[in-house]
């Protein structure tokens, strides 16, 4: 007996577990994914090289295929490149007829002689309009000269107005600056006034506090002065008798000295507080004088502000030029010149009409010349020939590419058939279909076991068992792993259908009788 771990270790010491399953169970290999089946089969044979395939068919060796593969390019890569190139060429081949048709539609049939007569007529009309434009130029120049003279006078008027506006603006700015200065001075004085008022309150409060402290010190002084020596201090607390005379004198003297010190300390503190209060009184008087001065300053600043504000209100927002003789004279001059100008014909209307006419004639001339130019079909016909030549060249490239692709596909098919033949030669009755044809002519990898062309999935139970045993027999011979083969559910197979193997077979069948073990003969 073994535990599971010991059993696995024992088996692994004899044979790989995966290989053990493959060579003992006929259903193991066919139950794997086809990719895994194919991988195992490919390991059973040596690879079929491109050189082997070329040597198998003279057609391959005589074509350029050998040269293409000599650069290390794989057949699959070459085939993929060929398909991509062919796809692009066919796309171009399909587009060329439409491009030729599109260019052909550009060919026009136009009467050039009639267009040239129309162009000459337009040139004459343009020349006549340009001459009339020159004739109207003299009138326009005289008119424009008077316009320029009026503009010069108006510029002088504008300069006078601007100068007076600047003067007025400076006056208003100067007055506004005085108002701002008065406001700032008033705010500063107001701030200092408030600070001094606060200082007065603080000093007066400190004086009241000092007076209260002096009063308390006076009371302490009187209490200390009235104190007398306690007779009990002259009696010994232990024996109850009076101390000796010398000791009583010392106690009496110490009491008097302590009393005198306390009284002097109260006097000194009271005098210090009195001195501080006197200094605070002096400060208060100084603060009050400064406050009175600040009050006067605020009144002064307010008067200055009111005066400047009144002056600013009396200044006009716009300068008054009614007394400016030069200004009035220039205004009259402009008025008179404008009346003369209004009575003249500027020629602008005539020039505007001629310009509109010229613009229309030139646009029409451009269109006629475009039609004359477009009537030359030589370049279009040349382009059509180029496209037709390209169509022939692309058709030849498509044919060459299709020929190369056909050669590559036949090469791939031959290589696949050689691989299949080498693999199938390893088995007695089983064959493997390793490739399947595509609708587009290509081939797709696959892997399916067959017997006489019948797929494994379509075989009956006996056929599937025979196929599985054939695969097991081949794998045992290839890997040199000769171990017992287990056949489960073998009751559906006759003994004569069981193939002979080079190793022991253990057959499990379901019967109606009792369990029995017997040797097969």
């Amino acid at each position: 007996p073994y535990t599971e771990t010991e059993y696995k270790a024992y088996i692994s010491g004899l044979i790989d577990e995966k290989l053990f399953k493959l060579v003992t169970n006929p259903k193991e290999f066919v139950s794997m994914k086809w990719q895994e089946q194919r991988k195992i089969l490919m390991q059973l044979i040596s690879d079929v090289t491109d050189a082997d395939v070329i040597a198998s068919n003279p057609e391959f060796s005589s074509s350029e295929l050998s040269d293409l593969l000599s650069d290390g390019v794989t057949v699959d890569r070459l085939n993929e490149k060929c398909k991509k190139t062919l796809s692009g060429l066919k796309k171009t081949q399909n587009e060329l007829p439409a491009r030729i048709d599109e260019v052909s539609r550009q060919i026009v049939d136009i009467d050039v002689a009639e267009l040239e007569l129309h162009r000459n007529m337009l040139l004459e009309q343009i020349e006549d309009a340009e001459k009339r434009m020159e004739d109207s130029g003299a009138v326009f120049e005289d008119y424009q000269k008077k316009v320029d003279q009026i503009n010069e006078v108006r510029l002088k008027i504008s300069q006078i107005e601007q100068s007076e506006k600047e003067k007025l603006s400076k006056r208003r700015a100067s007055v506004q600056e005085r108002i701002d200065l008065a406001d700032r001075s008033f705010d500063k004085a107001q701030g200092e006034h408030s600070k001094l008022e606060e200082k007065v309150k603080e000093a007066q409060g400190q004086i009241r506090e000092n007076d209260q402290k002096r009063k308390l010190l006076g009371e302490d002084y009187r209490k200390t002065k009235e104190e007398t020596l306690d007779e009990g201090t002259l009696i010994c607390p232990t024996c109850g008798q009076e101390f000796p005379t010398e000791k009583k004198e010392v106690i009496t003297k110490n009491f008097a000295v302590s009393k005198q010190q306390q009284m002097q300390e109260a006097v000194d503190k009271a005098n210090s507080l009195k001195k501080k209060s006197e200094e605070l009184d002096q400060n208060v008087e100084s603060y009050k004088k400064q406050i009175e001065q600040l009050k006067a300053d605020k009144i002064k600043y307010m008067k200055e502000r009111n005066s400047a504000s009144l002056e600013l209100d009396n200044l006009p927002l716009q300068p008054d030029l009614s007394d400016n003789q030069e200004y009035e004279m220039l205004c009259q001059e402009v008025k008179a010149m404008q009346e003369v100008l209004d009575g003249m014909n500027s020629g602008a209307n005539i020039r505007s009409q001629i310009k509109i006419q010229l613009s229309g004639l030139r646009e029409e001339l451009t269109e006629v010349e475009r039609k004359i130019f477009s009537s030359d079909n030589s370049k279009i016909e040349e382009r059509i020939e180029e496209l037709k030549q390209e169509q022939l060249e692309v058709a030849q490239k498509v044919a060459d590419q299709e020929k190369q692709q056909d050669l590559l596909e036949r090469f791939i098919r031959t290589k696949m058939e050689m691989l299949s033949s080498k693999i199938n030669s390893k088995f007695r009755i089983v064959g493997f279909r390793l490739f399947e044809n595509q609708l587009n002519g290509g081939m797709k990898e696959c892997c399916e076991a067959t017997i006489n062309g019948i797929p494994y999935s379509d075989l009956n139970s006996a056929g599937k068992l025979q196929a599985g045993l054939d695969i097991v027999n081949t794998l045992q011979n290839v890997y040199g792993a000769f171990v017992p083969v287990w056949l489960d559910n073998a009751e559906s197979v006759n003994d004569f259908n069981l193939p002979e193997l080079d190793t022991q077979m253990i057959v499990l069948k379901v019967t109606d009788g009792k369990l029995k073990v017997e040797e097969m003969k």
Side-chain angles (χ1 to χ4, degrees):
Y2 281 97
T3 65
E4 182 181 0
T5 302
E6 291 172 340
Y7 175 74
K8 288 184 176 180
Y10 170 71
I11 295 298
S12 297
L14 297 174
I15 185 172
D16 178 72
E17 184 178 359
K18 183 177 181 181
L19 176 59
F20 180 73
K21 292 180 180 179
L22 284 173
V23 298
T24 59
N25 183 2
K27 296 181 180 179
E28 179 67 19
F29 182 84
V30 292
S31 65
M32 298 170 68
K33 293 182 178 179
W34 71 264
Q35 292 89 344
E36 295 179 2
Q37 294 181 36
R38 183 182 177 89
K39 183 178 180 181
I40 292 173
L41 292 176
M42 290 300 179
Q43 293 173 352
L44 302 182
I45 62 171
S46 59
D47 190 21
V48 176
T49 65
D50 292 343
D52 295 335
V53 180
I54 292 174
S56 69
N57 190 334
E59 181 185 4
F60 296 149
S61 58
S62 63
S63 65
E64 71 277 7
L65 186 60
S66 180
D67 296 333
L68 292 172
L69 296 175
S70 64
D71 295 332
V73 181
T74 64
V75 175
D76 292 335
R77 177 61 183 153
L78 194 61
N79 191 38
E80 181 182 348
K81 181 179 178 182
C82 181
K83 288 180 179 180
K84 186 175 181 180
T85 302
L86 183 60
S87 175
L89 289 171
K90 285 187 175 181
K91 181 181 179 182
T92 302
Q93 188 179 38
N94 293 333
E95 292 174 350
L96 280 171
R99 291 169 60 186
I100 293 172
D101 185 59
E102 181 182 358
V103 176
S104 300
R105 287 198 297 270
Q106 297 177 14
I107 297 176
V108 294
D109 185 14
I110 298 176
D111 188 349
V112 179
E114 183 178 350
L115 289 174
E116 289 179 348
L117 287 175
H118 190 188
R119 179 180 61 182
N120 293 335
M121 180 188 68
L122 290 172
L123 290 172
E124 291 177 358
Q125 292 177 356
I126 290 172
E127 182 180 0
D128 179 65
E130 289 175 344
K131 183 177 180 182
R132 286 186 285 116
M133 178 72 77
E134 291 177 1
D135 294 342
S136 65
V139 176
F140 179 77
E141 287 179 4
D142 184 37
Y143 184 89
Q144 192 62 43
K145 183 177 180 180
K146 286 183 170 49
V147 170
D148 293 340
Q149 291 173 350
I150 292 175
N151 289 336
E152 289 178 4
V153 178
R154 284 177 174 167
L155 177 61
K156 292 179 181 179
I157 292 173
S158 177
Q159 290 173 345
I160 293 173
E161 291 174 344
Q162 185 63 30
S163 176
E164 292 301 317
K165 286 181 180 179
E166 290 176 357
K167 291 178 182 178
L168 178 60
S169 178
K170 288 180 180 179
R171 288 182 61 190
R172 293 182 63 86
S174 176
V175 176
Q176 183 63 50
E177 186 176 352
R178 286 160 49 199
I179 293 173
D180 295 341
L181 178 60
D183 286 339
R184 290 194 299 271
S185 299
F186 180 88
D187 292 341
K188 182 179 179 181
Q190 180 63 36
E192 292 176 355
H193 184 178
S194 299
K195 290 179 181 179
L196 289 172
E197 290 282 3
E198 189 63 31
K199 287 182 178 182
V200 169
K201 291 180 181 179
E202 290 178 358
Q204 290 175 342
Q206 189 63 46
I207 290 172
R208 287 193 297 271
E209 185 178 345
N210 290 344
D211 291 344
Q212 185 66 26
K213 289 180 180 180
R214 287 175 61 201
K215 182 178 179 182
L216 294 174
L217 287 169
E219 293 176 357
D220 292 343
Y221 179 86
R222 286 191 295 274
K223 289 180 181 179
T224 303
K225 185 177 181 182
E226 293 172 357
E227 285 182 356
T228 58
L229 180 64
D230 184 3
E231 295 297 332
T233 59
L234 300 176
I235 299 174
C236 177
T238 303
C239 63
Q241 295 182 357
E242 291 186 356
F243 288 119
T245 303
E246 293 82 0
K247 187 172 179 82
K248 288 194 293 183
E249 289 178 353
V250 171
I251 292 173
T252 303
K253 183 179 180 181
N254 288 340
F255 173 76
V257 171
S258 175
K259 178 179 179 180
Q260 185 62 36
Q261 287 177 347
Q262 292 179 17
M263 292 171 63
Q264 186 60 45
E265 184 178 349
V267 171
D268 292 342
K269 288 183 179 179
N271 290 336
S272 176
L273 290 171
K274 181 179 180 183
K275 184 178 181 180
K276 289 181 179 179
S277 295
E278 291 174 351
E279 292 174 355
L280 289 170
D281 279 333
Q282 292 177 0
N283 290 340
V284 169
E285 290 302 320
S286 176
Y287 294 155
K288 288 182 178 180
K289 289 180 181 179
Q290 294 178 48
I291 288 173
E292 291 302 320
Q293 181 60 46
L294 288 170
K295 288 180 179 179
D297 291 343
K298 289 197 294 183
I299 293 173
K300 181 184 71 171
Y301 295 143
M302 186 56 67
K303 288 181 179 179
E304 290 176 355
R305 187 193 189 288
N306 293 337
S307 175
S309 295
L310 182 61
E311 183 178 348
L312 183 64
D313 292 340
N314 291 331
L315 286 175
L317 297 176
Q318 295 294 333
D320 184 8
L321 298 171
S322 58
D323 294 335
N324 191 316
Q325 295 182 357
E326 181 185 5
Y327 179 80
E328 289 295 326
M329 182 183 67
L330 290 173
C331 289
Q332 292 297 326
E333 184 178 351
V334 165
K335 183 178 179 181
M337 294 172 68
Q338 186 64 48
E339 290 176 354
V340 173
L341 186 66
D342 292 341
M344 293 179 61
N345 185 351
S346 66
N349 293 334
I350 297 175
R351 290 175 63 84
S352 176
Q353 292 175 1
I354 296 175
K355 283 182 179 180
I356 294 173
Q357 183 183 4
L358 274 172
S359 177
L361 290 171
R362 285 168 178 160
E363 287 181 4
E364 188 176 356
L365 177 64
T366 300
E367 179 63 21
V368 171
E369 289 179 339
R370 186 192 65 76
K371 290 181 179 180
I372 293 174
F373 178 78
S374 64
S375 64
D376 183 4
N377 296 321
S378 59
K379 291 185 177 181
I380 298 175
E381 292 170 350
E382 182 180 347
R383 178 57 180 159
I384 292 174
E385 287 302 316
E386 290 176 357
L387 291 173
K388 288 182 178 180
Q389 183 61 34
E390 183 181 354
Q391 190 176 32
L392 292 174
E393 293 173 356
V394 171
Q396 183 59 49
K397 289 180 180 179
V398 168
D400 294 341
Q401 207 67 30
E402 287 178 340
K403 179 180 178 182
Q404 182 177 338
Q405 186 178 6
D406 178 66
L407 181 65
L408 287 170
E409 289 183 352
R410 283 188 285 119
F411 181 92
I412 293 171
R413 189 180 302 278
T414 300
K415 186 174 183 179
M416 291 177 180
E417 290 173 352
M418 291 175 69
L419 283 171
S420 298
S421 177
K422 290 184 72 172
I423 289 173
N424 290 331
S425 66
K426 299 288 183 179
F427 299 89
R428 296 174 181 174
I429 61 173
V430 174
F432 283 94
R433 185 163 59 88
L434 301 177
F435 306 94
E436 60 183 11
N437 295 323
Q438 300 284 78
L439 294 176
N440 59 5
M443 301 184 74
K444 179 182 177 182
E445 290 184 352
C446 65
C447 186
E448 187 175 22
T450 65
I451 293 181
N452 298 324
I454 301 174
Y456 179 87
S457 58
D458 295 337
L459 295 173
N460 57 25
S461 298
K464 289 181 179 179
L465 184 58
Q466 288 177 336
L469 289 173
D470 188 28
I471 293 170
V472 166
N473 187 57
T474 297
L475 294 178
Q476 285 193 1
N477 285 304
V478 170
Y479 290 112
F482 300 100
V483 293
V485 179
W486 292 77
L487 304 182
D488 196 8
N489 299 324
E491 64 276 359
S492 61
V493 183
N494 296 322
D495 293 342
F496 65 84
N497 285 332
L498 294 176
E500 293 185 4
L501 301 182
D502 298 330
T503 186
Q504 179 186 9
M505 277 196 299
I506 301 172
V507 181
L508 304 179
K509 295 182 179 181
V510 176
T511 64
D512 296 334
K514 296 180 180 181
L515 175 65
K516 61 181 179 178
V517 178
E518 60 183 14
E519 181 181 359
M520 295 176 60
K521 296 181 181 180

